[in-house]
Amino acid sequence: MENIKLIVNFLGQLLPAINITLIVSLSSIILGSLLGLLLAAARLSQSVILRVLAGIYVSVIRATPSIIMIFLVYYGMPLLFNGWFHTNIDGWNRMYFVIIALTLLFSAPVSEIMRSAYESISKGQMEAGLLVGMSPFQTFYRIILPQAFVVALPNFANSVVNLLKEGALTFTIGVVDMVSKAQMIVANNSGGYAWQTYCALALIYWVISLAIDKGVSLVEKSYQKKRKTIAV
Amino acid sequence: MSLDTDFMVKVAYTAIHGVPVTLKIVLVALLISLPIGVLFALIRIYRIKVLEQFVKFYVSLIRGTPIIAQILIVYSAFPSLLNTIIGKAAFDINPIYYAYIVFTLNSIATLTEVFRSALQTVDKGQMEAGLMVGMKPRQTFWRIIFPQALISALPNIANATLYLIKNSSLAFIMSVKDITAIAKTEAAFNYNFLEAYLVVWVYYLIICYCAEVIFYLLERYFSKYRRPTKKTTGFNWLPFSIKQPEIEAKTDLTESERTNHAQN
Amino acid sequence: MLKIEGLKKSYAGNDILKGISINVNKGDVISIIGPSGSGKTTLLRTITTLEEANGGHISFAGVDNDFQKLNGKDIHTIRRNIGFVFQNYNLFNNKTALQNITEGLIVARKVKKSEAEKIALKALERVGLTDRQNHYPSQLSGGQQQRVGIARAIALNPQVIFFDEPTSALDPELVGEVLKVMQDLANSGTTMVVVTHQMNFARDVSNRVIFMADGYIVEQGSPKKIFENPSEERTKTFLTDILANV
């Protein structure tokens, strides 16, 4: 009972820092999806070079620990910018580095999800669209995309949850997010109530993950309903 | 911009001592969590009362929370927990044991889901055929269903292993002297962090690619029964073909198996 | 030899079998025909307890009991004495053709491995697939897989073999080889119960034909009677329809 009270109390102290987590996650999701789209396009393109480069990129990211990616971006980018553009970006908000790192990480699985979703929609659909007189773009936009979206959705949501969890490493480069807030609370209590604090932290992430899962299954259900009503 | 290559070579030499530590964490976690993952998957598939709820809860909790939160909880809760059991000696425990605990707990959740979907891809006709040649459900499960499920699970086990290898890079937070920790310490003297992490990165790339090749070979070896003809396929160079193994629940073997269990 | 009385099965509120009684004698080759959804497959599956019956009585191989009172030992005895050939073959995917046959002998019957292989080879010879013994199911054509399925059933030397639409999943050009094997079996005196849509087989090979519809046995008798002079209107309609489509 005592512990539950403590956890609730810590929840109240941690929650204000949630906006960092949300900003970092949302920006990375948007930027990462765009980059992922480009990568998917590259992997589906006619050019062998583009396909191989995108393939290497995806496989390297797949083998890169998130923490290493964050460190590499954080320590490497200022050097790169200094060397190439002679600009000093040391003063950047550290959050930007995390967003860039997560964008790079997120884009790889997302590109794979987009690619396999696109490939799962049969060629026949494109041909059928062209045959009834739609332009390739119209066919893609009106026929392929909605179907690919449904196919990709569960995997995409899975990647979003992963991104959210990777975002918890933001604290490692000194951004005051929920994790680092939790560590501060523990430090302020001279190490006391540590596990209760971290449980509160885990709880917040758990609720967000559950919400994402729930949201996705709702969207999926509504799509299935639509499909049924159309079929009838 | 220039990199201190001498320093990088030096880090490469010292950080290599962290490789066995990383591998140890990965192997211990895998070896313990594989059988437990199978067990948990079976609990879910056979819908064993109460336990099923526990497994569901456990998997959702672990998968819904960042590994860093799990590390912090275990690392803060276990020492004092052990303290009450074995006394002061608890604080002298090698932190690698905490790493074993965290990463095992984490992998169990991943592998439970892996085995659950793999077991569901095996057609329920396989069980029926086993029963009709006179085998018991248990015999059919271990001799026919499980080997097939294991092989269809291999790509996902590979994914889980990669995930585990990458996550193990956070062991330094528990003051485990793994690759990352060693490089970090080295870099702290002269602030050569970029160089140090580049070296660490290369180590992880090598470890991950080795794991991928091992799993690729395992898959090739064990799925001989799946290849329709004996044509030799050229070596499929992995980095260019990352598989997203499709999880496809073909049939629900739950229903028939459960009734059969009830009858026998 | 195998006697079923009043077998009932319902699923999700629908009655699939509404009291079926069958008597199979040694050496019988019985064809069960009827429209899809009439409960033919369910009949075979409930007798072998792959599906639970909701009522009825079985006397077979020393078991003499109501379906709902069968214990584990009874079920084992029943299954042990019935061979089953599945519509989708259901060969063990991770075993070779030979191992598919020896598996049951070694594991369930405790036959020695060398002995089991001898029996299996003999069974493979009967279906003409000795040269495919080391092939995995995925390396065999549908017709070959089904022949291995038949060999697997006969190797266990059951009192009766059930065939559940053994040719329905096959490409038309592969149906012949399987039917031929079945015909050879019938000629050698194997007791068989065959659910089939192959009217030629029902007419030419079996000694009794059962026509089922809506969970009932509508009528049964010799092939000559059923095909040339059916007494029920439903049988007539069914046969006219199906023969018109051949």
Side-chain angles (χ1 to χ4, degrees):
Chain A
M1 211 47 234
E2 192 62 23
N3 286 331
I4 293 175
K5 246 188 223 155
L6 276 168
I7 290 175
V8 171
N9 176 27
F10 290 135
L11 273 178
Q13 296 183 45
L14 290 176
L15 273 173
I18 201 173
N19 55 351
I20 304 270
T21 308
L22 294 182
I23 293 170
V24 166
S25 305
L26 282 178
S27 327
S28 317
I29 289 169
I30 295 167
L31 294 174
S33 301
L34 290 175
L35 184 56
L37 193 64
L38 290 179
L39 280 169
R43 294 207 72 181
L44 292 165
S45 77
Q46 306 288 327
S47 152
V48 179
I49 299 175
L50 277 181
R51 281 208 306 266
V52 169
L53 282 179
I56 292 176
Y57 176 84
V58 170
S59 96
V60 166
I61 293 290
R62 183 173 140 90
T64 305
S66 348
I67 183 85
I68 303 300
M69 180 55 97
I70 291 174
F71 283 156
L72 284 177
V73 169
Y74 179 60
Y75 293 110
M77 271 207 17
L79 271 181
L80 273 183
F81 270 65
N82 235 333
W84 291 354
F85 311 116
H86 305 289
T87 14
N88 187 355
I89 58 166
D90 283 341
W92 269 17
N93 187 330
R94 291 178 176 191
M95 228 161 59
Y96 295 158
F97 295 110
V98 181
I99 293 173
I100 291 167
L102 292 183
T103 299
L104 294 175
L105 288 170
F106 188 62
S107 62
V110 162
S111 76
E112 285 299 285
I113 291 165
M114 289 175 174
R115 185 174 66 112
S116 64
Y118 178 80
E119 283 175 343
S120 74
I121 309 302
S122 70
K123 285 218 173 81
Q125 295 284 314
M126 180 55 103
E127 283 163 8
L130 297 177
L131 273 177
V132 298
M134 288 197 264
S135 73
F137 179 76
Q138 282 174 322
T139 316
F140 176 78
Y141 189 74
R142 303 185 60 92
I143 309 293
I144 311 271
L145 201 59
Q147 294 185 52
F149 175 75
V150 180
V151 176
L153 191 62
N155 287 328
F156 185 79
N158 204 12
S159 294
V160 167
V161 172
N162 279 337
L163 172 88
L164 177 80
K165 294 192 286 180
E166 284 168 343
L169 295 172
T170 308
F171 83 99
T172 53
I173 59 167
V175 180
V176 184
D177 71 336
M178 289 192 290
V179 182
S180 111
K181 197 81 179 245
Q183 288 183 318
M184 285 177 194
I185 295 173
V186 174
N188 282 342
N189 289 327
S190 328
Y193 310 123
W195 71 264
Q196 292 92 336
T197 317
Y198 296 134
C199 276
L201 174 72
L203 212 58
I204 297 172
Y205 276 102
W206 193 23
V207 169
I208 304 177
S209 305
L210 287 178
I212 293 174
D213 285 346
K214 188 78 200 164
V216 168
S217 67
L218 284 179
V219 172
E220 271 191 310
K221 263 193 201 128
S222 81
Y223 261 87
Q224 272 162 4
K225 242 187 223 157
K226 235 193 230 169
R227 220 180 247 185
K228 263 183 206 149
T229 44
I230 291 167
V232 166
Chain B
M1 169 192 141
S2 66
L3 292 172
D4 185 346
T5 42
D6 290 345
F7 174 73
M8 286 175 81
V9 173
K10 189 177 157 235
V11 174
Y13 274 115
T14 43
I16 206 162
H17 298 295
V19 174
V21 178
T22 299
L23 293 182
K24 248 188 341 202
I25 295 174
V26 170
L27 283 181
V28 169
L30 261 189
L31 288 180
I32 303 177
S33 56
L34 278 171
I36 301 181
V38 173
L39 186 74
F40 278 19
L42 287 175
I43 288 174
R44 291 269 343 242
I45 284 179
Y46 288 115
R47 308 215 177 106
I48 295 167
K49 265 184 232 142
V50 188
L51 287 178
E52 187 204 359
Q53 295 306 316
F54 165 76
V55 172
K56 257 189 182 163
F57 175 81
Y58 178 81
V59 170
S60 157
L61 180 68
I62 297 282
R63 286 171 67 98
T65 54
I67 182 96
I68 182 73
Q70 293 158 21
I71 288 173
L72 292 172
I73 290 173
V74 168
Y75 198 48
S76 62
F78 269 75
S80 45
L81 197 73
L82 285 176
N83 187 25
T84 56
I85 305 169
I86 57 170
K88 280 260 179 314
F91 294 102
D92 298 329
I93 288 178
N94 186 339
I96 199 168
Y97 287 101
Y98 296 120
Y100 291 156
I101 295 172
V102 176
F103 294 113
T104 304
L105 290 177
N106 194 275
S107 294
I108 289 172
T110 327
L111 291 173
T112 300
E113 290 303 279
V114 167
F115 283 116
R116 192 165 75 98
S117 63
L119 284 167
Q120 282 171 338
T121 59
V122 181
D123 192 278
K124 73 170 183 178
Q126 296 286 310
M127 175 57 86
E128 294 182 347
L131 297 176
M132 285 316 299
V133 298
M135 293 200 278
K136 304 223 163 67
R138 192 178 294 264
Q139 290 171 326
T140 314
F141 179 82
W142 288 114
R143 300 185 60 93
I144 308 295
I145 312 268
F146 185 68
Q148 293 182 40
L150 191 62
I151 289 157
S152 74
L154 269 177
N156 280 327
I157 298 177
N159 275 343
T161 308
L162 238 57
Y163 180 72
L164 176 61
I165 294 172
K166 291 190 286 175
N167 274 340
S168 77
S169 65
L170 293 172
F172 76 89
I173 290 170
M174 294 179 277
S175 25
V176 175
K177 297 268 174 289
D178 73 335
I179 307 173
T180 321
I182 294 172
K184 216 171 145 90
T185 326
E186 287 285 326
F189 291 123
N190 277 323
Y191 271 67
N192 298 337
F193 284 106
L194 179 61
E195 285 92 338
Y197 289 128
L198 280 172
V199 172
V200 176
W201 188 28
V202 172
Y203 275 132
Y204 276 103
L205 288 180
I206 294 172
I207 297 175
C208 285
Y209 282 139
C210 286
E212 292 218 52
V213 170
I214 291 172
F215 274 101
Y216 171 77
L217 294 176
L218 278 177
E219 224 177 300
R220 236 178 97 100
Y221 178 76
F222 282 113
S223 58
K224 52 181 191 275
Y225 73 80
R226 280 196 179 165
R227 263 168 285 153
T229 44
K230 277 182 195 153
K231 68 169 176 240
T232 44
T233 42
F235 183 73
N236 177 6
W237 180 233
L238 278 156
F240 301 115
S241 66
I242 282 74
K243 282 165 289 205
Q244 291 271 327
E246 55 234 78
I247 299 164
E248 187 187 345
K250 232 195 276 171
T251 40
D252 191 4
L253 82 172
T254 326
E255 216 53 53
S256 71
E257 275 188 34
R258 244 187 326 146
T259 49
N260 287 323
H261 260 295
Q263 288 164 12
N264 283 274
Chain C
M1 176 182 81
L2 167 64
K3 200 168 176 196
I4 306 292
E5 276 165 74
L7 178 56
K8 284 195 184 107
K9 165 81 185 168
S10 55
Y11 186 76
N14 295 324
D15 294 334
I16 316 262
L17 300 177
K18 301 167 182 166
I20 302 276
S21 300
I22 290 190
N23 207 342
V24 182
N25 300 314
K26 196 168 181 337
D28 268 351
V29 176
I30 299 177
S31 290
I32 303 179
I33 60 172
S36 19
S38 54
K40 300 167 303 211
T41 291
T42 311
L43 175 64
L44 298 192
R45 293 174 58 86
T46 29
I47 295 175
T48 48
T49 69
L50 286 177
E51 271 166 46
E52 255 174 296
N54 300 103
H57 189 94
I58 179 169
S59 46
F60 174 60
V63 176
D64 192 357
N65 210 341
D66 287 344
F67 270 102
Q68 282 163 310
K69 288 182 193 152
L70 294 175
N71 60 29
K73 208 173 143 237
D74 293 338
I75 289 172
H76 197 68
T77 313
I78 292 170
R79 287 183 184 160
R80 202 190 159 113
N81 288 290
I82 300 179
F84 205 100
V85 176
F86 295 88
Q87 181 177 353
N88 298 314
Y89 338 127
N90 285 345
L91 295 187
F92 304 132
N93 293 322
N94 56 335
K95 305 277 175 188
T96 62
L98 191 76
Q99 288 167 342
N100 257 280
I101 304 171
T102 56
E103 190 72 8
L105 290 165
I106 295 170
V107 179
R109 299 276 163 95
K110 312 279 180 234
V111 178
K112 258 193 264 154
K113 193 172 175 232
S114 55
E115 186 65 22
E117 277 172 3
K118 250 187 242 160
I119 299 173
L121 277 175
K122 232 179 246 160
L124 277 179
E125 204 184 323
R126 279 184 81 175
V127 300
L129 283 174
T130 324
D131 57 330
R132 293 285 190 281
Q133 53 173 295
N134 292 322
H135 283 54
Y136 286 96
S138 61
Q139 299 164 331
L140 299 171
S141 73
Q144 290 170 335
Q145 287 191 57
Q146 192 57 296
R147 279 147 70 195
V148 175
I150 295 173
R152 178 169 72 179
I154 55 181
L156 294 159
N157 197 20
Q159 295 195 33
V160 51
I161 301 180
F162 285 4
F163 292 79
D164 180 15
E165 304 194 21
T167 55
S168 296
L170 293 174
D171 290 336
E173 71 271 19
L174 300 176
V175 169
E177 56 183 272
V178 173
L179 286 182
K180 178 163 182 314
V181 167
M182 289 169 63
Q183 189 161 7
D184 289 347
L185 275 185
N187 292 340
S188 69
T190 313
T191 314
M192 298 161 66
V193 178
V194 185
V195 167
T196 187
H197 292 294
Q198 297 291 328
M199 292 305 138
N200 291 339
F201 181 89
R203 186 170 49 205
D204 304 337
V205 183
S206 46
N207 68 338
R208 184 155 32 119
V209 176
I210 294 177
F211 173 66
M212 273 181 78
D214 294 332
Y216 293 108
I217 291 182
V218 177
E219 71 173 303
Q220 57 178 308
S222 67
K224 202 171 157 64
K225 175 180 173 275
I226 299 288
F227 282 96
E228 287 166 21
N229 190 21
S231 41
E232 300 288 328
E233 197 53 41
R234 293 209 60 167
T235 321
K236 252 181 240 170
T237 335
F238 172 75
L239 286 173
T240 338
D241 284 356
I242 203 162
L243 293 176
N245 287 328
V246 168

